[in-house]
Amino acid sequence: MTTGPGQSPRGHRSVPHTGDLRIEAWAPTREECIVEAVRGTVGSFAELPADASCVAREWAVSAEDDGRLLAAVLEEVIYRMDAADELPVEVAVTPEPGGVRVRFRMADSSTAVQTGAVPKAVALHGLRLAQDAHGWACRVTLDV
C-alpha cells in the first residue's frame, strides 16, 4: 500500500467503508505519512480557499506506538475542528523523542466549503501506521 494512483511516492485516498470514512496514506517517512493522512482527512469533507487568514498552532504528540500516534494527531485535528472551529490549511510533522511535533496553519472553518460528512472520531479498529520495503503507509477509519 505504499504507492497509490500513478505510483506516486506520497499521497492519500479515501476508500469506501460501510458507514464510516477510511483514509489510506503513504509517504517515504513516518512523519510525511501522518501529514498525508491529515490532508486526506480534511480533503474528504472540506475545500479551503487559498487566501484564508490563518493562525499558527503547534503541539507535541506522544503515544505508545505509531498507530496510536497517528490516531492522536487526527484526534487533535478533529478536536480543533469541533472546539475551535479551525481547519488545518498546512501541516508539518517532525520527529521528537517519544512522538512528533505537529505544526499547523489553521483557518476559520467558516471559510471552508463543506463537501462531505465531517469526521467525529478516530476508530482504533484497523488502525495502522507502519514501514515496509517501500516507505511508510497508514490506514485509519474515521467515524462520520
Side-chain angles (χ1 to χ4, degrees):
M1 185 178 61
T2 57
T3 58
Q7 302 300 305
S8 172
R10 71 180 41 81
H12 59 267
R13 62 180 162 222
S14 297
V15 178
H17 192 265
T18 307
D20 295 315
L21 170 65
R22 178 165 286 165
I23 302 293
E24 293 180 351
W26 58 94
T29 69
R30 177 183 76 155
E31 292 75 22
E32 290 171 312
C33 196
I34 293 171
V35 167
E36 287 298 328
V38 170
R39 288 179 179 155
T41 297
V42 174
S44 72
F45 72 90
E47 291 180 7
L48 290 161
D51 61 349
S53 177
C54 296
V55 296
R57 303 277 186 232
E58 179 176 328
W59 65 95
V61 179
S62 60
E64 65 265 13
D65 62 49
D66 288 332
R68 298 232 182 215
L69 185 65
L70 172 64
V73 170
L74 292 176
E75 285 168 351
E76 184 66 27
V77 170
I78 291 169
Y79 170 77
R80 303 275 334 149
M81 291 184 316
D82 186 47
D85 292 324
E86 295 178 335
L87 290 172
V89 174
E90 291 180 13
V91 59
V93 178
T94 54
E96 274 200 352
V100 294
R101 177 153 302 274
V102 181
R103 293 175 186 86
F104 281 133
R105 283 190 52 239
M106 304 291 275
D108 188 302
S109 61
S110 67
T111 64
V113 174
Q114 188 171 340
T115 59
V118 178
K120 302 294 182 204
V122 177
L124 296 180
H125 177 74
L127 183 63
R128 178 180 184 269
L129 174 60
Q131 186 176 23
D132 65 18
H134 304 287
W136 285 80
C138 66
R139 176 182 58 239
V140 62
T141 301
L142 304 170
D143 298 330
V144 291

